[in-house]
Amino acid sequence: MKRRTFLTAAVAGTAALGTATSATPAAAASQRRAASDPALPRTWFEATYRSLTAMTTDPGLAADKIDVSGAGTPVPSPQTSPTNIGCGLWSTVTAAGLGVISPSVMHQRLDRTLTAVEGLERAHGFWFNWYDPHDGSVLTSWPETGDPVRPFLSTVDNAWLVTGLRIAADADPELRPRIARLLADADWSYYYTPYDPADPVAGPGQLRGGYWPDKPGKGEPTGHHYGALNTEPRMASYLGIADGSLPAEHYWHLFRTLLPGMGQEQQPEGAYVTVDGVQVWQGHYTYRGRKLVPTWGGSMFEALMVPLFVPEPEWSPQSWGVTHRRYVRSQIEHGLTEEKYGYWGFSPASIPEGGYREYGVDAIGMQEDGYNSLGVVTPHASLLALPHAATEAMANLTALARDFGADDDRYGFRDSVDTATGRVSDFVLALDQGMIAAAIAQHLRPGLLQRPFRTGGFRSRVRPLLGKERFSL
């Protein structure tokens, strides 16, 4: 979609967003009032939840995406993933927590989804990466092209489904026994390669990206491990440490930055320290004079999806809390000051013209050819920043809605906006809408989705690790 008013509106939007760093007292006061007003975020959530409801098929599985450009009822896509299903679960819990649906409706919807999840084919206790959301069958060919799909067990995607299931169990005690039976088979050591001091490359003490289980034994592993700490797969690490299937030392074998001398975006500064008997490179990057722990690609969701559920800033205020705030500030300054787009917030999303790609701020990611912003702003990235920079996030989102029509009254924020052309994506994605729902939950009812991650092994095993964290910031 192109906005006919784009050229004039974009000028106004650039001026308005400039107040994020140089506001007049009156404008700054107005921004603070908007950030503290729950009415607009609640309206955004209601539309977002309508999109997730529209993506949910009769069996109760949230599909991957819908096209919202037409006037009729959008049709859910013919594929879904464990992440999408998890997003649907926690969004329904959020809807009940915010009073958008009743507890009885929440139970009906969670029960329907859980029944469908119980019927999905699994291997080694985990769910495959792609299913048909209309009948629950494992996809062996891609619906849009017919290309073959080799069934795969993804570490990070299973982590987000388990996250959604844990949230559902916390919110609905009647479902807890069934969810406990499902999760009893999810042993995270399946993905783990133990640390080998004689060969830390082959034995890094980290999680594989996943397995193709069609080979004898465990199956065929991916050629890579998830080595970067400040990326979204750390949710799997936390889940495994919390339930005891992963050793606590795994946390210390993850990279704050890659080691000095390794190829990466910039040579890190920092020092080696020993924690719990593990030598840890406590490195950092510097961006615009600001020390922070980078992600892999430089996108917002790598850094800020996990703390929607695990209270990292609270348990590690001088380390995780500091780097999260600085990461948000870096994204803001990249969009407003460095590139002068007039808008900010960069994370993987739909390409406005069609397709999908990673967007980010290359300088705050470790990957040498990391994600670039390209002037494409992704609203979910700003909403992820809401718990850390509410005033700036609200101003940015309001401007995106006003200047580009990026906020669809029926189904919430579109997936992406090209600020140079005014092209707005025709799609909303379950993953990105799920992040929006969780971010608004954390803004309006802090801790609503964090309850199951503050007790048990999270409290006794994960919290002490975060308490020992000392980033070199």
Side-chain angles (χ1 to χ4, degrees), residues 165-229:
L165 288 167
R166 289 179 65 106
I167 290 169
D170 174 77
D172 191 336
E174 188 176 334
L175 301 179
R176 287 176 190 171
R178 293 165 60 191
I179 292 174
R181 287 194 291 272
L182 276 177
L183 298 186
D185 295 329
D187 183 341
W188 296 98
S189 66
Y190 172 69
Y191 296 105
Y192 181 63
T193 302
Y195 181 69
D196 181 358
D199 190 354
V201 174
Q206 299 167 358
L207 299 177
R208 292 278 187 183
Y211 278 86
W212 292 275
D214 55 0
K215 299 289 185 182
K218 292 179 67 173
E220 180 183 343
T222 59
H224 71 280
H225 289 84
Y226 285 130
L229 173 64

Side-chain angles (χ1 to χ4, degrees), residues 448-469:
L448 173 65
L449 302 183
Q450 293 182 342
R451 290 186 314 220
F453 311 105
R454 290 176 172 271
T455 60
F458 276 85
R459 181 177 59 194
S460 63
R461 297 188 179 104
V462 174
R463 183 173 185 172
L465 292 172
L466 301 192
K468 294 176 184 178
E469 184 64 83

Side-chain angles (χ1 to χ4, degrees), residues 23-180:
T24 65
S30 177
Q31 287 181 13
R32 286 194 295 271
R33 286 194 297 272
S36 63
D37 180 3
L40 188 54
R42 181 184 171 86
T43 298
W44 288 339
F45 173 79
E46 290 172 352
T48 299
Y49 190 59
R50 282 195 292 272
S51 77
L52 284 157
T53 301
M55 275 184 263
T56 302
T57 61
D58 289 342
L61 301 175
D64 192 54
K65 61 185 177 182
I66 52 174
D67 182 338
V68 296
S69 61
T73 302
V75 177
S77 63
Q79 72 272 359
T80 191
S81 71
T83 294
N84 297 328
I85 300 167
C87 287
L89 288 166
W90 72 60
S91 298
T92 292
V93 172
T94 299
L98 297 182
V100 175
I101 61 174
S102 68
S104 62
V105 170
M106 179 193 75
H107 171 75
Q108 292 168 3
R109 293 181 179 180
L110 294 179
D111 177 71
R112 179 178 61 152
T113 300
L114 179 57
T115 299
V117 171
E118 289 170 329
L120 296 176
E121 182 181 348
R122 291 192 286 166
H124 300 279
F126 292 99
W127 288 268
F128 290 101
N129 215 42
W130 295 109
Y131 296 92
D132 183 327
H134 301 276
D135 64 14
S137 61
V138 177
L139 289 186
T140 56
S141 62
W142 198 246
E144 297 170 353
T145 64
D147 293 337
V149 174
R150 187 181 178 192
F152 180 68
L153 303 174
S154 163
T155 307
V156 65
D157 286 278
N158 273 284
W160 293 123
L161 176 52
V162 171
T163 296
L165 288 167
R166 289 179 65 106
I167 290 169
D170 174 77
D172 191 336
E174 188 176 334
L175 301 179
R176 287 176 190 171
R178 293 165 60 191
I179 292 174

Side-chain angles (χ1 to χ4, degrees), residues 7 29 41 44 54 60 74 89 135 150 181 206 220 266 278 280 282 300 304 316 319 352 385 405 407 445:
L7 290 177
W44 288 339
L89 288 166
D135 64 14
R150 187 181 178 192
R181 287 194 291 272
Q206 299 167 358
E220 180 183 343
Q266 66 172 263
V278 179
V280 180
Q282 285 288 22
M300 194 75 92
L304 296 184
S316 181
S319 293
D407 179 25
R445 283 198 57 188

